[in-house]
Amino acid sequence: MALGKDVIICNDVHKWYGDFHVLQGVTTTVKEGEVVVIIGPSGSGKSTWIRTINRLEEHQQGQIIVDGTELNNDLRNIQEIRREVGMVFQQFNLFPHLTVLQNITLAPIHVRKWSRERAEEVAMEQLEKVKIPEQANKYPGQLSGGQQQRVAIARALAMQPKIMLFDEPTSALDPEMIKEVLDAMQELAESGMTIMAVTHEMGFARSVANRVIFFDRGNIVEEKPPTEFFANPEEERTRLFLSQILHH
Amino acid sequence: MATITQSKESTSLSGPRFQLNISQWLRTTVFSSLGNTIFFIVLIVLNIIVIRTGFNLDPVGLSYNLAPNGVPTGLGNFVLTITNGALLTSIILLLWIIGATLVTYGVATRRWIGPSQWLKDSLYTGPFGALTTLLISLLIVFAVRGILSWAVFGAEFRTDAESVALLRPVTPGAIWGIVGANKKLFAVGRYPFEFLWRVWLSLGIVLALGAASVFAWNFGSPLKKYRQILVWSWLASIPAILFILRGFGPETSAFGLVPTTLWGGLLLTIVISVIGIVVSFPIGVLMALGRRSTTRGVPYTWAWGAGLLLIFWGLFGFPSEPTTFNIPLIFRDPPVWTFTLSPISYAIFQIVVVVGIFWAVGHYLQGNMIKTFSIVYIEVIRGVPLITVLFMAQIMLPIFLPKEIEIDNLLRVVVGVILFSAAYLAENVRGGLQAIPKGQYEAAVAVGLNGAQTTRLIILPQALRLVIPALVGQCISLFKDTSLVAIVGLFDLLKIAQTVVAQQEWLGLQRETFAFVALVYWVFAFSMSRASQRIEKNLGVGKY
Ligand SMILES: Nc1ncnc2c1ncn2[C@@H]1O[C@H](COP(=O)(O)OP(=O)(O)OP(=O)(O)O)[C@@H](O)[C@H]1O
Ligand SMILES: [Mg+2]
């Protein structure tokens, strides 16, 4: 698949929590249609980094440019970028007081200002894609974890974003539900969506990703296409990490 | 369990085998320890005392309503019989003995029929259980007998003053005439008779809305779409009803003015609580959100709002004549700096000071003004009793406002109640807000909702649901606390009750009056509590 122009540009991004230097000058670019998988040890700052891209976390130094708009304190910029960037969380974070359909149509109606009919039509399309249209009128609490995560994906997609961020979307799921979520993600990747995903599903990384990023101690250690990445990692730290997770 | 035992017995033996080792049973229960023995003796003594008292209870004299001309009717005779203490006590004792026999029989033969099994499991769980059952049944029956005798059987229901005066010395129970004769006072206070239809009209509006709501919320989908309209109608009905009640124009017209000083009784109690609750709700929610606000500086709307308020104040209000300031300066002789400002320049001076302070705090100190204000407000109000707030509203409000504006006493009280209730509401709501996980905020902003939308669509609906029980509890206590307004000169339900018992012809009938008032308060409080349970159920609190 041909990759397009740069849609995410991180340039020397730094962030501190008090004295703790979480992001230590992250620099990379993601092209349109690219699927990037981020792996790395716990506490290395993967979540923090991916969350700076839609400004759930503020960065304190450096530049992040998403779809041509720089993230700064301007609220309008942030709103605009959040409309174009969908996010899926480890804990699903569905709205428990709304039905599945309402969860999905909420943002299109209130942010995109679509009519209810149009929003519901798009919502149903998305639910078809993740294969749970029959759950539309249930509440999130009535669904299994895998179904909830697929609703969360549908909710993000209903806004028709240009970029999707996933932060460990399968790590809160029972093994038998992981596949259904990964399938939905793979389908999304094949449709040409730009994806950044933090995940430890190496199978997914191997078969779907265009690039794997190894992240450690607040910075990118190594980034390569998956075949190369898994076959001959350059850095000692990468090798150590891979040997740890692959031998489990 | 019971059936298994039974079948085993019937195969091995023919007929029930009577087997009861009483001395062993007593040793293992009553005399198993010194404490148990003492407890057993105490129970027996208590039972004896209660039974003796029961036998000495007089039958309650018949109501004159039941026995016209002193000749008892059939119903009257029946009542006379069953209120007889000796008979009542004997019946209970008999029932207790029958129960005890059934259970003993069951224990001895190990044969259980349904009821005796139930009796053993619930009422006759052992010697202590059996005695406690007897004691408590006697006490309950005596209490019910006492209350019924006083409130119904022996009560006098006639309301005309002459017959009441005649019958009072001989009527053994309550004289409910005091309630009936003063029902208008209890209901609306001194609201004029010729305008009472306006109260009925208001009640009609409330009932109509209530009926419509019951339909819209209970009977299926076709009416669902009217729910929102109904909610707004409820809100709109409040000012409309206040307007109908207060009226306007000359007293001779149909909608003549009824000054709030004439409002009283249940009407006033309801008016104060409803306005108090409804108006304090949005204020409380805003305060709760404000207390969690992370916005630094001063929102410009606040500064401009304060400025505009002051301009209004400066032009039309407080400084109506030139104001003179005396500022003491140490190195001057005379040591006072005196200057006079015209009203306009005084107003401008105030505006400059206030806006200046806002601006300075907002831009240089970078303080979180909203949060600070909310915290100070909530903590100050929660630190003082409602009475104090009411007095402050009485005394302080006039100081802040121009002399020409005379504020209605009721309005002052209502403002006090609102300010008070808002602070508590804010804390309750904040409790709900804190229970919402951070992920909900993140998910909401991640799909592009702005701050206001996130609060309105995601956070508040969940937070408010969580605190429904606390909010209803607050409504109930506010409703009851309105009885404090009597202290600042309003005639609410309780104050009316005090004036009613002070009337010459009803002197000394406190019991009837206050029992009635307590019942009214209870009915309202209990309905609110039930309503809360229904709302919780409908919204599925704790279900997801
Ligand atoms: N709000 C916070 N305040 C202070 N430190 C924080 C905060 N959030 C995260 N951290 C720290 O920042 C570091 C990076 O956290 P982050 O959640 O980004 O790690 P991660 O790589 O996603 O790890 P995991 O794989 O466990 O999710 C951790 O050491 C964490 O303790
Ligand atoms: Mg993480």
Side-chain angles (χ1 to χ4, degrees):
Chain A
M1 193 181 321
L3 300 178
K5 60 180 186 359
D6 295 348
V7 280
I8 302 172
I9 302 169
C10 292
N11 189 9
D12 195 26
V13 175
H14 289 266
K15 180 179 175 68
W16 288 263
Y17 282 124
D19 286 341
F20 180 55
H21 201 173
V22 218
L23 299 182
Q24 309 183 2
V26 183
T27 304
T28 194
T29 50
V30 176
K31 292 194 185 310
E32 202 166 13
E34 196 175 5
V35 177
V36 177
V37 165
I38 302 155
I39 61 174
S42 179
S44 56
K46 306 179 298 291
S47 299
T48 310
W49 177 38
I50 204 170
R51 286 152 60 88
T52 55
I53 289 164
N54 66 349
R55 197 62 167 192
L56 287 183
E57 303 285 353
E58 240 171 81
H59 60 286
Q60 284 142 359
Q61 200 181 307
Q63 251 188 335
I64 298 177
I65 299 169
V66 178
D67 196 27
T69 312
E70 178 169 1
L71 278 169
N72 49 27
N73 281 322
D74 192 337
L75 265 175
R76 265 167 313 172
N77 282 356
I78 297 173
Q79 286 302 126
E80 201 173 300
I81 285 171
R82 282 178 181 162
R83 271 193 294 254
E84 304 306 332
V85 178
M87 180 146 194
V88 174
F89 302 85
Q90 182 174 353
Q91 299 297 342
F92 328 139
N93 294 346
L94 293 177
F95 308 129
H97 62 302
L98 301 177
T99 63
V100 166
L101 195 63
Q102 288 167 334
N103 260 282
I104 302 175
T105 55
L106 186 79
I109 291 174
H110 288 97
V111 180
R112 290 250 188 255
K113 309 288 177 205
W114 292 353
S115 70
R116 175 173 305 279
E117 291 72 34
R118 177 166 172 211
E120 285 182 356
E121 203 175 298
V122 172
M124 286 315 294
E125 274 170 31
Q126 295 302 339
L127 281 177
E128 303 274 358
K129 275 193 197 152
V130 294
K131 306 196 174 62
I132 37 172
E134 73 284 355
Q135 311 287 358
N137 290 314
K138 287 197 184 161
Y139 284 89
Q142 300 166 312
L143 303 184
S144 74
Q147 290 171 328
Q148 289 192 43
Q149 193 61 298
R150 284 184 281 162
V151 172
I153 294 174
R155 175 176 71 181
L157 290 178
M159 280 293 281
Q160 305 190 330
K162 295 192 175 124
I163 300 164
M164 283 288 285
L165 308 176
F166 292 83
D167 188 0
E168 306 205 28
T170 55
S171 19
L173 296 176
D174 292 338
E176 72 270 21
M177 294 169 183
I178 290 180
K179 188 173 176 302
E180 58 197 37
V181 171
L182 289 180
D183 285 348
M185 287 171 68
Q186 175 158 9
E187 211 162 286
L188 187 62
E190 281 158 6
S191 74
M193 175 69 74
T194 313
I195 292 177
M196 276 181 84
V198 176
T199 179
H200 290 122
E201 296 299 328
M202 292 303 144
F204 179 81
R206 263 184 234 272
S207 60
V208 183
N210 302 95
R211 175 158 46 124
V212 179
I213 293 181
F214 177 61
F215 201 89
D216 191 18
R217 295 188 212 150
N219 213 336
I220 295 173
V221 176
E222 188 165 358
E223 46 181 330
K224 277 182 183 161
T227 38
E228 222 174 305
F229 182 90
F230 291 108
N232 46 351
E234 253 162 54
E235 301 285 329
E236 181 55 37
R237 269 192 280 168
T238 319
R239 255 174 272 156
L240 194 65
F241 179 75
L242 281 179
S243 71
Q244 272 167 0
I245 58 164
L246 294 180
H247 290 149
H248 260 253
Chain B
M1 168 78 193
T3 49
I4 293 171
T5 324
Q6 197 179 354
S7 61
K8 223 197 283 174
E9 294 291 332
S10 52
T11 49
S12 58
L13 290 159
S14 56
R17 190 167 54 124
F18 216 83
Q19 197 184 51
L20 196 64
N21 188 343
I22 292 185
S23 64
Q24 193 220 331
W25 178 69
L26 284 178
R27 262 203 309 280
T28 52
T29 52
V30 176
F31 302 117
S32 63
S33 74
L34 182 65
N36 276 353
T37 314
I38 294 175
F39 182 44
F40 187 69
I41 293 169
V42 168
L43 269 180
I44 290 195
V45 170
L46 280 178
N47 267 308
I48 291 172
I49 294 173
V50 171
I51 291 168
R52 279 190 53 138
T53 320
F55 270 99
N56 292 331
L57 285 174
D58 289 328
V60 175
L62 278 185
S63 156
Y64 285 76
N65 290 326
L66 283 175
N69 321 318
V71 184
T73 56
L75 180 61
N77 274 326
F78 175 67
V79 168
L80 197 60
T81 319
I82 63 161
T83 53
N84 182 322
L87 184 72
L88 209 55
T89 315
S90 311
I91 292 175
I92 297 165
L93 268 176
L94 190 68
L95 287 176
W96 183 77
I97 289 168
I98 293 175
T101 315
L102 270 177
V103 172
T104 316
Y105 180 77
V107 169
T109 61
R110 307 200 179 173
R111 280 180 162 241
W112 297 103
I113 46 171
S116 66
Q117 176 79 49
W118 175 81
L119 280 175
K120 178 178 178 288
D121 291 346
S122 51
L123 297 180
Y124 296 88
T125 50
F128 301 109
L131 285 177
T132 316
T133 299
L134 177 61
L135 186 66
I136 293 196
S137 350
L138 285 168
L139 289 177
I140 290 175
V141 169
F142 292 161
V144 170
R145 187 201 87 109
I147 291 170
L148 282 182
S149 308
W150 177 75
V152 182
F153 300 147
E156 171 53 54
F157 292 91
R158 257 170 276 187
T159 56
D160 58 312
E162 300 89 76
S163 38
V164 168
L166 211 62
L167 298 169
R168 257 184 81 170
V170 285
T171 302
I175 298 185
W176 291 118
I178 187 170
V179 174
N182 293 294
K183 57 180 184 290
K184 191 230 151 202
L185 266 182
F186 279 120
V188 295
R190 292 193 295 139
Y191 203 91
F193 274 106
E194 65 269 32
F195 294 136
L196 270 186
W197 64 271
R198 275 154 44 184
V199 179
W200 287 112
L201 176 63
S202 310
L203 190 63
I205 295 176
V206 170
L207 289 180
L209 280 175
S213 305
V214 167
F215 272 102
W217 264 272
N218 287 330
F219 299 101
S221 39
L223 290 165
K224 253 184 189 161
K225 55 177 178 282
Y226 297 113
R227 287 184 184 175
Q228 202 170 357
I229 302 176
L230 270 172
V231 171
W232 287 109
S233 310
W234 274 112
L235 287 180
S237 74
I238 295 172
I241 286 175
L242 288 178
F243 186 70
I244 292 173
L245 288 177
R246 187 164 180 277
F248 53 93
E251 268 160 51
T252 45
S253 71
F255 273 98
L257 180 74
V258 180
T260 53
T261 43
L262 297 182
W263 302 17
L266 187 58
L267 175 70
L268 187 70
T269 296
I270 292 177
V271 163
I272 296 174
S273 3
V274 169
I275 304 181
I277 290 164
V278 172
V279 179
S280 68
F281 185 75
I283 302 179
V285 170
L286 284 179
M287 289 283 168
L289 292 170
R291 190 162 184 174
R292 289 164 55 86
S293 155
T294 48
T295 315
R296 300 206 152 262
V298 186
Y300 285 105
T301 44
W302 283 43
W304 285 111
L308 286 175
L309 199 74
L310 279 164
I311 290 172
F312 177 82
W313 184 1
L315 292 184
F316 304 104
F318 184 35
S320 49
E321 48 206 52
T323 317
T324 303
F325 292 86
N326 293 310
I327 296 178
L329 291 175
I330 296 165
F331 299 114
R332 263 180 78 115
D333 190 30
V336 170
W337 182 29
T338 305
F339 62 95
T340 306
L341 285 178
S342 71
I344 296 290
S345 43
Y346 182 48
I348 293 173
F349 170 70
Q350 288 177 319
I351 294 164
V352 169
V353 168
V354 170
V355 176
I357 291 174
F358 268 74
W359 187 77
V361 173
H363 291 259
Y364 289 102
L365 299 181
Q366 287 285 301
N368 188 336
M369 288 289 281
I370 303 178
K371 183 171 179 172
T372 312
F373 176 81
S374 304
I375 290 180
V376 169
Y377 175 84
I378 292 170
E379 295 307 332
V380 165
I381 297 281
R382 291 207 318 156
V384 293
L386 176 56
I387 289 281
T388 319
V389 176
L390 292 179
F391 275 129
M392 293 295 262
Q394 290 283 305
I395 299 160
M396 301 296 275
L397 223 52
I399 296 178
F400 289 117
L401 289 162
K403 285 189 200 70
E404 312 86 68
I405 298 179
E406 178 83 30
I407 336 158
D408 195 295
N409 193 7
L410 176 60
L411 182 62
R412 278 185 268 185
V413 165
V414 166
V415 168
V417 169
I418 290 171
L419 293 181
F420 185 77
S421 163
Y424 282 87
L425 234 146
E427 284 301 272
N428 281 337
V429 173
R430 190 166 68 100
L433 290 175
Q434 268 165 348
I436 307 298
K438 196 160 151 262
Q440 291 290 310
Y441 292 89
E442 290 176 351
V445 299
V447 287
L449 298 180
N450 63 31
Q453 288 170 328
T454 303
T455 306
R456 186 166 60 86
L457 300 168
I458 306 299
I459 306 305
L460 277 183
Q462 295 184 55
L464 291 180
R465 253 173 244 218
L466 286 175
V467 294
I468 287 173
L471 293 184
V472 174
Q474 208 201 322
C475 291
I476 291 175
S477 65
L478 179 66
F479 178 73
K480 293 184 295 185
D481 284 351
T482 54
S483 51
L484 290 172
V485 301
I487 292 175
V488 288
L490 292 185
F491 283 79
D492 74 305
L493 186 57
L494 191 64
K495 181 73 183 170
I496 289 280
Q498 284 176 330
T499 58
V500 163
V501 292
Q503 289 167 346
Q504 196 57 47
E505 65 266 46
W506 304 104
L507 220 52
L509 293 179
Q510 276 92 342
R511 262 190 286 180
E512 287 80 352
T513 316
F514 291 115
F516 169 70
V517 168
L519 182 71
V520 173
Y521 275 113
W522 179 81
V523 165
F524 276 84
F526 186 68
S527 330
M528 281 189 251
S529 158
R530 299 301 304 215
S532 133
Q533 287 172 6
R534 286 208 54 162
I535 297 172
E536 277 173 52
K537 226 172 94 190
N538 285 353
L539 293 178
V541 175
K543 222 167 30 185
Y544 48 72

